Amino acid sequence: MKYMQAWEEQVLDRQEAREEGRKQLLSELIQKKLEKGLTMDQIADTLEIDASRVKELIREMETSG
C-alpha cells in the first residue's frame, strides 16, 4: 500500500465502508427476524443469503452486544 495512489486509497476506503454498511444492515435485519421467532434457516431463506453467513453474523452480534 506504500506506493498506492491517493485515488486508489479512496476507492478502497469507500469499498470497505460499503461492505461495513451492508454487514450492519444484515445484522439489523437478522435481529428483527430473530425477534419475530424465525429460525436461522428461515432467516437465510428470507434474506436470500447462505445460512452459514447468518450464523456468522449472529455469533458476531452475540459477542459484541
Side-chain angles (χ1 to χ4, degrees):
M1 285 233 253
K2 185 176 173 182
Y3 300 106
M4 193 174 285
Q5 298 289 330
W7 66 269
E8 291 173 312
E9 290 179 18
Q10 290 174 347
V11 168
L12 284 176
D13 288 345
R14 276 189 240 129
Q15 288 172 340
E16 290 171 1
R18 282 187 192 117
E19 181 58 34
E20 186 61 34
R22 285 185 199 108
K23 183 177 174 182
Q24 183 176 351
L25 176 61
L26 272 178
S27 295
E28 291 170 5
L29 291 172
I30 289 169
Q31 183 62 41
K32 287 179 184 179
K33 303 294 182 192
L34 287 171
E35 290 170 2
K36 288 183 177 184
L38 272 65
T39 66
M40 230 182 311
D41 289 332
Q42 290 171 324
I43 294 170
D45 286 343
T46 301
L47 299 178
E48 297 181 2
I49 59 174
D50 192 66
S52 62
R53 179 73 172 136
V54 173
K55 188 175 183 177
E56 174 188 326
L57 289 169
I58 289 172
R59 263 195 240 134
E60 287 180 20
M61 290 185 316
E62 290 173 343
T63 58
S64 69

